Amino acid sequence: MLLKPLVAIPVKPFGVAKARLAPLLTPEERSRLGKAVAAHTARVADESGGHVAIVTASPAVASWAHGLGLDTIDDPGTGLDAAAAAAVARAGKTATPWLVLHADLPLLTVSDVAALIDALAASSAVLAPSHDAGTAALGARAAFSRFGYGPGSYHRHRRALPTAAVVIRPGLAIDLDTTKDLSRILAMPAGRWVTELASP
């Protein structure tokens, strides 16, 4: 049986997150939205059976996470690759399988994360692409150091993990990053809960 995986969710300081939504939302609205979506992602991951840890360099985000009863991992603060590496290092201390999951997934469901965990139980690694060829989730049962987040990261990670199981699901594919993403999410029934937080 697969050990309970570490589900690491890197989270930026809420005051600087979602900068590309600035044409539609004020800084306060962006902060509130980012916090709500991150909380949704963490709650869903927790309900899916993973051990959730928020990876952050922000004391305020760490305090928020602890208030939700979540573990935290110190982020060196030099980008998403380093945050993911910190999560892998934590998992390696107990030889625990791990998943790095993006925080900005407002359509994420328990079955989406369960699909990742099931795929990881059947394979040595798992990948989930976002709709724009980014990487919504990446996990493995062993150490990994070839992180390459940024535009087109799914293809880089796929080359680094050619035998990884690939999980394609709407809740993982649609992240909240741009104004176009926000409009798409608000138009979907599963995204209606976001309307009260951000209605452009």
Side-chain angles (χ1 to χ4, degrees):
M1 178 181 293
L2 184 73
L3 292 172
K4 186 175 184 177
L6 170 69
V7 182
I9 304 174
V11 176
K12 295 179 181 178
F14 295 120
V16 301
K18 307 299 171 203
R20 284 192 276 180
L21 297 179
L24 293 178
L25 304 175
T26 67
E28 292 76 14
E29 289 168 338
R30 296 198 307 272
S31 178
R32 186 170 67 248
L33 179 61
K35 188 179 295 185
V37 174
H40 168 81
T41 301
R43 177 185 58 77
V44 168
D46 184 62
E47 292 177 0
S48 303
H51 174 76
V52 177
I54 302 299
V55 188
T56 186
S58 165
V61 173
S63 178
W64 165 83
H66 294 152
L68 294 178
L70 300 174
D71 191 9
T72 56
I73 296 172
D74 289 335
D75 178 357
T78 54
L80 189 51
D81 290 352
V88 174
R90 166 71 71 85
K93 292 179 180 179
T94 53
T96 302
W98 53 270
L99 284 165
V100 176
L101 183 66
H102 271 0
D104 54 353
L105 298 170
L107 306 183
L108 190 71
T109 66
V110 170
S111 60
D112 293 330
V113 183
L116 292 171
I117 293 173
D118 289 347
L120 190 54
S123 180
S124 60
V126 63
L127 281 168
S130 61
H131 68 94
D132 57 358
T135 307
L138 187 161
R141 287 190 271 163
F144 177 75
S145 60
R146 295 173 61 187
F147 291 106
Y149 285 102
S153 66
Y154 170 73
H155 301 295
R156 290 188 291 278
H157 290 144
R158 185 71 174 141
R159 287 193 294 271
L161 294 166
T163 62
V166 177
V167 175
I168 299 175
R169 299 175 66 97
L172 290 161
I174 302 176
D175 55 2
L176 176 55
D177 194 27
T178 67
T179 56
K180 185 178 291 186
D181 295 334
L182 180 57
S183 296
R184 181 186 295 115
I185 289 162
L186 293 177
M188 295 180 176
R192 298 279 169 79
W193 71 271
V194 178
T195 304
E196 296 179 2
L197 298 164
S199 186

